[in-house]
Amino acid sequence: MKKEVKYLLGTLLVGIAASFAVYQFALKQNVNPQVKMETPAFPLITNLVTSHSFAYGPVDAKVTVVEFFDPECESCSAVAPQIKKEMKYYEGKVRWVFRYMPYHHNSRNAVAALEAARKQGLFLEAMTLLFETQHQWGEKQVSTKDEIVKIVTSLSGLNKAQFMKDLEDPATDEILIKDQTEGKQAGVKGTPSFFVNGVMLERLSLDDLIAKINAGLAE
């Protein structure tokens, strides 16, 4: 078989696999896959940064850190305080981007709350609060949407009426499908997973993350 034919066949198989992943996730989230596939794709900017992702830090930073996380993930919760410290330490030098990779029963509810809070400029505050209270609403086989809403709406300065409206925004499902699909294509198999300038950390290690950031800033 010629190289050109092998390449085309490989590309086709990758495309089919990606489409199937989107379809399967859509079914799990009770989303019509046909409708969602017809919506415009969020443009990929660079280093796994997309136009729909929450980002903190200068757009022209030499180093961009992308974290795929699940708000119901205990490991994500455990590492969050340190990531918050590093965000402060590298203020103005590093761009931090947060994308979703849902694995748990109430992940979708938590993501919807985060997105609703983000529309009011309270994404980081809501994420911190959900991690701190994860023991109250996480790791349960029943919906804890009401508990999540109660927790997030306790944030100072949040407009509850607007929050409740944004909580049902169908765009959240589009974001979840996009993040999960691109995350899997990039090699994400668990959370948290970190990428520094588009390169995934081989292991979950704060020392490795800092070393990669410093190396990128030194280039």
Side-chain angles (χ1 to χ4, degrees), residues 49-50 52-57 87 95-98 118 123:
V49 178
T50 60
H52 70 270
S53 303
F54 174 82
Y56 178 88
M87 290 172 70
R95 187 167 178 79
W96 302 82
V97 179
F98 296 91
R118 177 157 78 109
F123 178 88

Side-chain angles (χ1 to χ4, degrees), residues 79-178:
V79 77
Q82 190 59 52
I83 296 302
K84 188 175 181 179
K85 290 180 181 179
E86 298 308 326
M87 290 172 70
K88 184 65 175 178
Y89 180 80
Y90 289 104
E91 185 89 40
K93 298 179 180 179
V94 174
R95 187 167 178 79
W96 302 82
V97 179
F98 296 91
R99 302 190 65 178
Y100 305 114
M101 184 59 73
Y103 287 110
H104 296 79
H105 186 80
N106 279 289
S107 300
R108 166 63 175 78
N109 292 328
V111 169
L114 285 173
E115 287 299 301
R118 177 157 78 109
K119 290 181 172 64
Q120 298 188 41
L122 293 170
F123 178 88
L124 290 177
E125 292 82 355
M127 182 171 67
T128 297
L129 190 55
L130 284 176
F131 279 145
E132 290 176 347
T133 60
Q134 192 184 76
H135 62 284
Q136 297 179 28
W137 60 268
E139 293 299 328
K140 297 179 181 179
Q141 297 305 309
V142 296
S143 175
T144 54
K145 180 178 179 179
D146 291 343
E147 184 68 23
I148 291 171
V149 168
K150 181 179 179 181
I151 290 169
V152 178
T153 53
S154 71
L155 284 171
S156 177
L158 184 135
N159 183 317
K160 185 174 180 179
Q162 186 61 47
F163 174 86
M164 296 305 295
K165 179 180 178 181
D166 292 333
L167 195 66
E168 306 303 325
D169 190 344
T172 297
D173 288 316
E174 299 175 33
I175 291 172
L176 282 169
I177 292 172
K178 187 70 173 177

